[in-house]
Amino acid sequence: MYKLKRAVTLKDAVMINLGAIIGAGIFVIIGIASAEAGSSIILSIIISAIVALFTGLSFSEIAVHIAKEGGIYEFAKDAWTPFMGFLGGILWTFGTTIAAAAVAISLISYVNITLGIVLPPILSATLVILIFSFINMLGIKNSARTVTIFVIINILVLLAFVVFGIHALNTSNLLDFMPNGINGMLLGAALIFFAFTGFSRITTISDEIKEPKKTIPKAILLSILISAILYVSVATVAVGILGPSALADSTAPLSLAISKIGNPWLLLFVSLGGITATAGVVFTGILGVSRVFFAMARDNELPKKLSYINKFSTPTYAIAFSTFFAIIFLLFLSFKEIVESSNTFVLTGYIVINIAALIFWKKETAGKRKTLYEKIFPIIPILGVISILMILIYIIWSTILVFLAVSIISVLYYLYRKDVEKKAVPRHSAVREFGKSREKLK
């Protein structure tokens, strides 16, 4: 019987997270967010990074003790209840899947711009998803290598954009800082958060990470820090070159901004970055969602067949299942609607993980809190929930019907599996366990 292999190093983990983070957010959504925030998009990015940091610290606190495949699902199930783990996992997978579908279409748009061709978007995006799914099935190490190539190109492109673009920056474009006031800036933060949602991707493959107790927290914090610095730098230069209005009107804002410099090779390089960045998000989206489906199937939350592991130590059927849903979502909604829907689901899932971290802290660390951080830790998940609600309120109303429909169907499905099919869900998954808090469960 084949098993998951522990092959992902800290470098691989950071690259996988950066591959999930640096994508459509900076290459596409910066334009959409600028329409609302104006040049205060810079503050919007910082706010989004802080929100991500609070939740990232909550993930890290649980990961130190519970390092198991399945991310939000496993973490919330162990720290809170199986039902909340299931609900959080479903919300996260739904949001991540529709994001991967949206970004796959953006990838084709960048290919068309770069090569000067017109590929059919839906058919081409479907082919991209199928190719990435196949690579995912060939093993986590191959997946990590593929993502690393994407990330290196992405970072080089963004650095080139900043270095060459700063000379064309017009400071007058930055003067009208908050044209739509604080509300516009916060709506910009709500939209640009799409660019940070990948920071938890590494938690979905915990069983495949070397020294997960140390690696997962470091990978989460490093990836948020690196991406935030890149985003603020790129946004400052992009708004400075074009101005918020011109940036907002473009479907490829960074390519448009760099075209003002008049260097065709640099334009080609930036357009290539658009391809690799969106490719990384699609690739890691399939990777993460498939691992959550795998974990759920292992615990009888989904059909057991999805927990099958192939000879490359990857969950073949779970990857295929994730691919199917990503392709289905290609047919629905506009890009902005997809962004708002994705953010609503993922952010709600992050509320679950923040509350789970608070419960876990109270339950598992009682009488063991020695450092100042351990004593004041509850402030972090509380601020995480408050900050998420602050930006959720700007986007949830446009997606409330879809959100309620998915939530209700998920609850009904959970009750059906539990009460009608009598599928027992283990309180703690029967997999390798790590951390001192797990010893009593062995």
Side-chain angles (χ1 to χ4, degrees):
M1 182 178 176
Y2 299 112
K3 295 181 180 180
L4 298 174
K5 287 185 178 179
R6 200 169 293 288
V8 177
T9 63
L10 175 61
K11 183 201 71 156
D12 296 331
V14 172
M15 290 296 181
I16 288 171
N17 258 16
L18 287 176
I21 295 172
I22 301 174
I26 197 64
F27 281 88
V28 179
I29 297 168
I30 188 174
I32 298 172
S34 293
E36 308 294 341
S39 54
S40 69
I41 184 66
I42 298 163
L43 278 182
S44 298
I45 291 171
I46 293 172
I47 289 172
S48 291
I50 291 171
V51 174
L53 185 61
F54 287 143
T55 303
L57 288 170
S58 290
F59 264 110
S60 298
E61 175 66 16
I62 302 177
V64 168
H65 303 277
I66 305 171
K68 295 190 289 186
E69 205 89 348
I72 230 175
Y73 163 69
E74 278 293 355
F75 286 17
K77 179 166 74 71
D78 269 57
W80 198 348
T81 66
F83 171 72
M84 292 310 300
F86 175 80
L87 186 60
I90 287 293
L91 293 174
W92 185 88
T93 53
F94 195 90
T96 302
T97 303
I98 58 179
V103 175
I105 295 176
S106 293
L107 189 158
I108 301 306
S109 297
Y110 266 102
V111 170
N112 289 340
I113 292 170
T114 305
L115 302 181
I117 58 178
V118 182
L119 294 173
I122 302 298
L123 181 61
S124 303
T126 299
L127 182 61
V128 165
I129 290 173
L130 289 171
I131 291 171
F132 287 168
S133 297
F134 176 73
I135 297 173
N136 259 297
M137 291 180 185
L138 298 180
I140 189 65
K141 207 57 184 170
N142 285 323
S143 296
R145 291 190 190 104
T146 303
V147 173
T148 297
I149 292 170
F150 290 153
V151 170
I152 289 172
I153 295 173
N154 297 343
I155 292 176
L156 289 176
V157 165
L158 294 179
L159 289 176
F161 178 87
V162 172
V163 170
F164 289 96
I166 199 167
H167 300 293
L169 188 147
N170 183 352
T171 54
S172 63
N173 287 327
L174 300 169
L175 295 180
D176 188 12
F177 195 66
M178 249 184 234
N180 296 319
I182 292 177
N183 283 339
M185 186 263 292
L186 290 175
L187 179 54
L191 292 169
I192 205 70
F193 188 81
F194 185 84
F196 284 99
T197 53
F199 72 84
S200 66
R201 197 63 44 86
I202 197 62
T203 64
T204 65
I205 60 168
S206 298
D207 277 2
E208 298 163 85
I209 298 173
K210 295 179 178 179
E211 296 186 282
K213 290 194 295 178
K214 296 179 180 178
T215 302
I216 292 175
K218 288 179 181 177
I220 289 174
L221 299 180
L222 283 172
S223 60
I224 292 173
L225 180 63
I226 293 169
S227 55
I229 292 171
L230 284 172
Y231 284 179
V232 169
S233 302
V234 169
T236 302
V237 173
V239 173
I241 293 175
L242 285 181
S245 298
L247 204 65
D249 292 336
S250 175
T251 56
L254 298 193
S255 293
L256 178 62
I258 214 69
S259 68
K260 299 297 182 182
I261 296 177
N263 185 327
W265 291 107
L266 186 59
L267 175 59
L268 180 63
F269 189 45
V270 170
S271 298
L272 174 64
I275 295 173
T276 56
T278 49
V281 172
V282 176
F283 191 93
T284 57
I286 296 168
L287 173 69
V289 170
S290 66
R291 279 6 183 230
V292 177
F293 284 151
F294 161 80
M296 287 182 167
R298 178 184 58 195
D299 291 346
N300 291 318
E301 304 271 28
L302 293 175
K304 201 70 176 179
K305 196 73 173 175
L306 296 180
S307 64
Y308 169 77
I309 301 291
N310 67 14
K311 66 179 181 180
F312 298 107
S313 298
T314 54
T316 308
Y317 297 133
I319 293 172
F321 193 54
S322 306
T323 302
F324 170 75
F325 274 101
I327 292 172
I328 291 296
F329 285 126
L330 284 172
L331 307 175
F332 299 99
L333 304 176
S334 71
F335 188 78
K336 184 178 179 182
E337 289 171 327
I338 286 176
V339 169
E340 291 175 344
S341 297
S342 175
N343 280 359
T344 298
F345 285 103
V346 172
L347 283 166
T348 308
Y350 286 165
I351 287 177
V352 171
I353 207 67
N354 276 295
I355 296 173
L358 191 60
I359 293 171
F360 184 85
W361 173 87
K362 183 178 180 181
K363 183 171 59 177
E364 298 292 344
T365 66
K368 306 174 187 176
R369 300 159 199 157
K370 297 178 181 179
T371 67
L372 178 62
Y373 178 77
E374 290 173 336
K375 293 176 181 178
I376 68 169
F377 174 77
I379 296 173
I380 292 170
I382 290 171
L383 289 175
V385 171
I386 292 171
S387 59
I388 288 173
L389 290 174
M390 182 181 69
I391 61 176
L392 251 185
I393 197 168
Y394 285 91
I395 57 174
I396 194 170
W397 307 114
S398 61
T399 59
I400 190 69
L401 292 179
V402 178
F403 175 76
L404 288 175
V406 171
S407 299
I408 291 170
I409 291 171
S410 299
V411 171
L412 291 175
Y413 173 83
Y414 181 86
L415 294 175
Y416 174 80
R417 289 285 283 185
K418 181 181 178 183
D419 298 332
V420 179
E421 293 191 353
K422 305 295 182 183
K423 296 291 184 181
V425 178
R427 182 66 179 81
H428 303 285
S429 299
V431 294
R432 289 173 302 205
E433 296 163 339
F434 307 93
K436 294 179 180 178
S437 69
R438 316 297 300 150
E439 290 174 0
K440 63 184 179 184
L441 300 173
K442 295 183 180 180

